Amino acid sequence: MKNRAYFLLVAFSLFLLLSVLVVHFRIRWLPLAALLLGAIVRRAFPSRHLEVFTFLIPLLPALARLENRGFPLNYLLLPLLLLCGVALGEVMAGKKERLAPWPALPRFYLPFLCLVAVSFLFVILRWSNLTLSRLAFLQDTPVAPGGQRLSFGIIFPIVELALFTLSPLYYLLLRRLADPRPILVAFLSGHSVSIAYSLFRRLTDPTPYHSPVSGMASDATVFGFLSALALLLSWYLYVRFAARRLGLLFFFVSLLGILNSATRIGIFAVVLSIFLFIFSARRKIVSLLLTALLMAAALFSYIHFFYEPGNNFLTRLRHDLRMIDRSAGSEAPGLPPLGDLSVERKVLWGYGVEIARRFPLTGVGVGNFVFWAMHAHYPDFFHHLPASQYFFLISSVGLPGLLLFLLFFYGVFVAKPWPERSLLAAFLFFFIFNDYLWFSQAFLAFWLVCSLGEKGEGEAVVPGAAAKLLIAAGLALVILSHAWNVPALHPQSWALEAATPYDYGLYQEESEHGRAFRWTGAKAGIYLYLDDNGRAEDIGFFCGAPLKRLRDKTQTLDVYWRGKFLERLSFRRNGHRFLHLTDPVHREGFLELRVRPIFNLERMGLGEETRELGVQLHIDHEKKN
C-alpha cells in the first residue's frame, strides 16, 4: 500500500512537472530529452548507469540555458528528469522492486512526504478559486498583491513537490550498491569539470564584478555549496577508502572551486576539513602539514593565475574583514556597519519566525513563501526564499513538517559510523544559512551522503494500533488546520487587504474621454464587493468591436454572478449597456463575463492592435477592495 501510494505520487509529480514545463511554459525539448537520456543511460550502461548519472548531476543545470524562457536554471530540474528516465529504465528492465520505498526509505520521510502532498493540494485549492466560482476554476487570477498570477506562480509548488517526491529515487538506487567509491569519484569528477569551467570563465569574463561565477551549476550559491561539499567528500574518500592520491587531488580542485565561488560557506568547509584530516590521521603533524601545503598551493595558484577583484571568495572575505575592522572602531570609509553583513538574511528569517507564529501547524504552503511575503509586507517586501532550510520547511509544511524531517534526519544520523556522521552534521550546519534543497543537484548530493555507510536492507517498522491512531489524529489535525487557514491564506483575501484587484482576463486600465475602462478577452472576471444594500450600480459595458466584420454582425456578452448565469446582452451596434447588480444575500463574489466573438484588429487589417479583445468593462461604484 505504501509503495503503491509513493509510486502514484511520483507519477503525479512527474506528470505535473512535465505538463507545466512542456505544455504551459512551452519548454519542450530539454525536459523530454533529459527524460529520454536517462532511459538511454540505463539501457546503455546496465551496470554503471548510476556512475554516469552521478557524473552528470553537477553538469546538467548548465544546459538549461539553452531553453529556459527566462526562468532560473534550477526550475527546469534537469537532474531530476534524468533520474526519472533512469528509474523508468529500471522499470522497463524488470527491476521495479529496487525503487520500492518501503522499508528502504528512512523512517519518517514518508509521513513527511504526506504532509508535503497535503500542503501542495491546499495551495492549489486556494489558487484554483474552486471555493469562489466554478467558472473561475484555474483561471489566471493573482497569487500575490504585486500582480503575480497563477500562470507564473504555479511553477513554485510544482517544483517543490517534485524535489521532495522524485529525489528519493536516487537514494533508493544508491543504497543497494556494495561499494560507493565509484559513485563518489563520479560526483567529484563531475564537479571538477564544473570547477574547471568556472576557472575558464574567470579568465575570460570581462565583467567580474557583475557576474558571479557558477561553473555549470544552476547558480553561484549552489556552486559554492557543491564546492564545499566536494571538499568534505574528498576527505571522506581519503579516509574511508584510503584513496590517498585521488582524495588529495579532489581536495586541491575543490579548494580552487571554493576560492572561485562567491559564498562564505566555504570557510566552514575548509575549517572542518582541516579538523577532520587531523582528527582522523595517525600522524597528526604530517596531516596538518599536508593540508596546509595543499591549501597554500591552491591559494597561490588561484591568486597567480585566476584572481581578479570581483565576485569571488577572496574579495568577499576581504570585504567582510574590513567591515569587522570598522565595527571594532577602525576607519573604513564607505563600508556598512557589521550589523549589515546579514541584514537581508535577518529580514528573511524574520519572515520565517512570523510564519511559525501565525501558522505553526501548516506554514503558508508548498511554494508559497515568496507570495505570502509579498502580501504580509506589501509593498515593502523582500523578494527571496527564506535563506535557511529550516525556515523553508516551516514555511512549507509548518512545525510538524520540520519535526518529521528532523526525525528522519536523526534516524539516518544515528545509524551511521562516525565518518558519515561528520558529513551529515555538516549538512545540519549548511541548512542554517540557505535553502539548499531548493536546488535539485544539492538535494541529490544530500541523498548521496545519506546513502553512504548503509548496512543493507532495512527492516520494516510496523506501527502499533496506538501509533496508528496518533498518526491519523495528527494528520487530521493538520488537514483541519489547513482548511481553517484557507481564508487567511487565500489570494483573494490578500487582494482585499492590499486594495488591489482580484481578477482574470482583463487588460490594463485605459482611459478615453475621461472614462476609465479595461478591455476583456473571451473570458474575464473581477471580484466585486457590493454596498451595504447589496447593490453595485453602473456596471457598464461598451461594445467597440467592428460589428460589420463579425459573423452575424453581433457581439454577445453573457454575465455571471458567483458562478451562476445572470443576464445576456447582445450588441448589434456600438455603444454602452449597463447592468444593475443586486444581491441582498451575498455581498461579494465574482462578476464573470463570457464574450463571443472576440476580435483582433491586426489580423482583420484594421490597425496595429494585436490583442484579442472582447468588450470594455467600466465600473463606477465598485467598492474598492
Side-chain angles (χ1 to χ4, degrees):
M1 179 65 180
K2 295 181 178 66
N3 291 335
R4 183 179 300 176
Y6 176 70
F7 289 140
L8 287 175
L9 186 57
V10 166
F12 179 64
S13 300
L14 181 59
F15 170 77
L16 288 178
L17 181 62
L18 289 175
S19 297
V20 75
L21 292 177
V22 177
V23 179
H24 182 57
F25 291 116
R26 299 182 181 179
I27 304 174
R28 293 168 179 162
W29 301 113
L30 276 178
L32 296 177
L35 195 66
L36 179 61
L37 178 61
I40 293 174
V41 165
R42 172 61 182 84
R43 177 82 174 182
F45 304 95
S47 61
R48 308 193 69 178
H49 56 279
L50 287 178
E51 297 170 45
V52 176
F53 168 72
T54 303
F55 175 79
L56 293 174
I57 288 174
L59 308 178
L60 274 177
L63 297 179
R65 295 184 177 91
L66 301 176
E67 190 188 20
N68 71 335
R69 307 287 186 187
F71 282 102
L73 303 186
N74 63 298
Y75 285 33
L76 270 64
L77 300 186
L78 293 183
L80 282 190
L81 290 170
L82 186 70
L83 173 63
C84 289
V86 172
L88 288 173
E90 290 282 328
V91 173
M92 290 186 290
K95 305 292 185 180
K96 182 180 178 181
E97 70 280 356
R98 294 183 179 180
L99 302 172
W102 180 261
L105 270 183
R107 290 182 64 191
F108 298 107
Y109 192 81
L110 287 177
F112 166 78
L113 200 56
C114 181
L115 292 189
V116 171
V118 169
S119 178
F120 172 84
L121 291 176
F122 271 94
V123 168
I124 300 303
L125 172 67
R126 296 193 298 265
W127 290 5
S128 70
N129 300 307
L130 187 62
T131 58
L132 300 181
S133 167
R134 62 179 181 83
L135 295 178
F137 180 65
L138 292 180
Q139 295 293 340
D140 196 20
T141 46
V143 294
Q148 295 77 14
R149 293 185 175 269
L150 178 65
S151 55
F152 164 74
I154 191 63
I155 188 72
F156 286 84
I158 288 179
V159 163
E160 190 170 336
L161 177 69
L163 284 166
F164 285 111
T165 303
L166 303 180
S167 63
L169 294 172
Y170 187 44
Y171 172 85
L172 296 173
L173 293 172
L174 284 178
R175 68 186 310 279
R176 295 177 179 273
L177 296 179
D179 185 3
R181 279 177 294 181
I183 298 298
L184 287 170
V185 172
F187 180 82
L188 291 169
S189 299
H191 188 59
S192 296
V193 173
S194 180
I195 291 172
Y197 177 71
S198 77
L199 295 172
F200 172 76
R201 286 291 307 276
R202 180 64 69 190
L203 287 174
T204 57
D205 188 359
T207 57
Y209 276 101
H210 303 288
S211 54
V213 173
S214 59
M216 301 189 76
S218 56
D219 76 355
T221 298
V222 74
F223 174 74
F225 166 78
L226 291 178
S227 297
L229 179 62
L231 196 72
L232 299 176
L233 289 177
S234 301
W235 161 81
Y236 180 76
L237 190 65
Y238 179 93
V239 170
R240 171 61 82 181
F241 302 106
R244 307 298 190 204
R245 295 181 180 177
L246 204 55
L248 293 177
L249 175 62
F250 285 130
F251 187 82
F252 177 79
V253 175
S254 301
L255 282 172
L256 291 177
I258 289 174
L259 290 170
N260 204 33
S261 71
T263 175
R264 302 184 186 97
I265 203 69
I267 299 175
F268 169 73
V270 170
V271 173
L272 180 59
S273 63
I274 293 173
F275 171 78
L276 290 173
F277 264 108
I278 296 173
F279 176 77
S280 59
R282 293 181 179 178
R283 300 178 179 178
K284 300 190 183 304
I285 299 298
V286 174
S287 181
L288 175 61
L289 292 175
L290 182 61
T291 53
L293 179 63
L294 279 174
M295 291 180 182
L299 185 61
F300 173 80
S301 300
Y302 184 76
I303 292 176
H304 184 72
F305 295 106
F306 303 103
Y307 177 73
E308 291 287 346
N311 282 302
N312 56 56
F313 177 81
L314 291 178
T315 301
R316 192 165 189 177
L317 179 61
R318 181 184 176 189
H319 185 264
D320 291 349
L321 291 175
R322 290 176 65 196
M323 286 196 290
I324 293 173
D325 188 47
R326 177 184 177 182
S327 70
S330 303
E331 293 293 329
L335 290 175
L338 178 61
D340 287 350
L341 266 174
S342 302
V343 63
E344 294 177 354
R345 183 170 278 110
K346 288 180 181 178
V347 171
L348 295 168
W349 289 2
Y351 292 171
V353 171
E354 186 178 349
I355 289 172
R357 288 174 176 171
R358 294 183 59 187
F359 307 102
L361 295 180
T362 64
V364 295
V366 166
N368 202 26
F369 174 85
V370 170
F371 305 115
W372 172 86
M374 291 178 178
H375 148 68
H377 299 273
Y378 181 82
D380 300 318
F381 56 86
F382 189 73
H383 190 291
H384 203 280
L385 290 174
S388 166
Q389 193 61 53
Y390 303 112
F391 284 124
F392 183 94
L393 292 170
I394 290 172
S395 71
S396 296
V397 287
L399 294 175
L402 175 64
L403 176 62
L404 286 175
F405 187 85
L406 292 177
L407 287 172
F408 143 72
F409 193 95
Y410 175 77
V412 174
F413 182 85
V414 296
K416 305 290 186 184
W418 79 265
E420 290 78 8
R421 287 187 181 184
S422 301
L423 297 176
L424 288 169
F427 268 98
L428 282 178
F429 184 82
F430 290 151
F431 285 166
I432 296 174
F433 297 103
N434 222 317
D435 29 58
Y436 292 112
L437 299 188
W438 176 249
F439 303 95
S440 58
Q441 60 267 48
F443 212 147
L444 293 172
F446 170 72
W447 284 117
L448 189 158
V449 172
C450 288
S451 72
L452 298 175
E454 287 288 344
K455 300 177 181 178
E457 197 66 54
E459 296 182 2
V461 179
V462 181
K468 289 182 179 179
L469 183 61
L470 181 63
I471 292 171
L475 182 59
L477 178 62
V478 169
I479 292 175
L480 288 174
S481 298
H482 273 290
W484 176 265
N485 290 331
V486 165
L489 294 173
H490 202 294
Q492 178 266 321
S493 301
W494 296 352
L496 173 62
E497 294 178 28
T500 56
Y502 190 72
D503 55 30
Y504 67 87
L506 294 169
Y507 294 104
Q508 293 295 321
E509 187 173 271
E510 305 172 43
S511 61
E512 189 175 63
H513 306 302
R515 179 179 60 87
F517 64 88
R518 298 175 69 183
W519 278 104
T520 76
K523 298 179 180 180
I526 184 168
Y527 203 88
L528 294 183
Y529 298 86
L530 309 185
D531 62 21
D532 293 337
N533 297 317
R535 286 183 284 203
E537 298 180 352
D538 292 337
I539 300 175
F541 308 102
F542 178 78
C543 173
L547 294 174
K548 292 182 179 180
R549 299 285 298 271
L550 301 183
R551 185 178 180 179
D552 297 331
K553 298 181 175 54
T554 302
Q555 191 174 44
T556 302
L557 169 64
D558 289 338
V559 183
Y560 295 81
W561 172 244
R562 296 179 56 85
K564 296 181 179 180
F565 178 76
L566 182 65
E567 188 173 344
R568 173 169 293 172
L569 304 175
S570 295
F571 293 92
R572 297 186 179 275
R573 64 179 64 181
N574 297 122
H576 285 94
R577 300 285 294 274
F578 292 92
L579 174 72
H580 301 288
L581 178 61
T582 302
D583 188 345
V585 178
H586 305 102
R587 301 297 177 86
E588 61 185 72
F590 258 116
L591 179 72
E592 295 173 272
L593 314 174
R594 298 296 183 263
V595 184
R596 61 184 188 277
I598 56 175
F599 61 95
N600 184 302
L601 293 177
E602 184 188 48
R603 286 205 297 265
M604 300 171 78
L606 299 177
E608 298 180 355
E609 175 62 71
T610 60
R611 294 178 297 178
E612 303 286 339
L613 301 177
V615 299
Q616 295 177 7
L617 171 65
H618 169 67
I619 303 176
D620 271 339
H621 300 295
E622 173 193 351
K623 180 181 177 181
K624 298 301 180 183
N625 50 346

